[in-house]
Amino acid sequence: MPELFGINHLTLSTTDLDRLVTYYTRLLGAALAFERAATASDPRIAVVDVGGDEHLMIVETSTASTSTASTGLDPLGRAGWGLRVGSYAHLCEVRERLVAAGSPVGEIETLPTQWTMTARDPDGRPVDVRAHRPRVA
């Protein structure tokens, strides 16, 4: 059986593609990799590079998503997915940008193996942003 190498992409839907791309690129530091205009048969999409070989595919829809993430019905009351940054200092920088932009974001919490905070994107979707803590022998 072939081995898996990780997540290739995660697809998010939104009624405002530009707003969501701006959030992920300007506030969280992702890079716009590709954008395609809507056609008669396909919606407008943008692919955002979030590091390594992982991407967010953002699809513009005419109606808001009714997924559990966007309605706040996450069974853990937190984000069901997350992004990773390289260090605690970088996590603090991202949090400062979010706060300065007036974007909802929680405090940074210390977990056994990482630091984490939960933010909400412009569609209200929760996203964890985490940095791994150095391993202690």
Side-chain angles (χ1 to χ4, degrees), residues 5-35:
F5 290 105
I7 294 172
N8 177 270
H9 73 276
L10 176 68
T11 302
L12 306 177
S13 64
T14 184
T15 56
D16 189 339
L17 187 111
D18 295 322
R19 180 185 65 183
L20 211 55
V21 167
T22 297
Y23 176 83
Y24 284 100
T25 58
R26 291 193 186 153
L27 295 179
L28 295 183
L32 180 63
F34 174 78
E35 189 170 350

Side-chain angles (χ1 to χ4, degrees), residues 23 98-99 101-106 118-122 124 127:
Y23 176 83
L98 292 168
V99 168
S103 184
V105 60
T118 301
R120 292 213 173 253
D121 74 16
V127 56

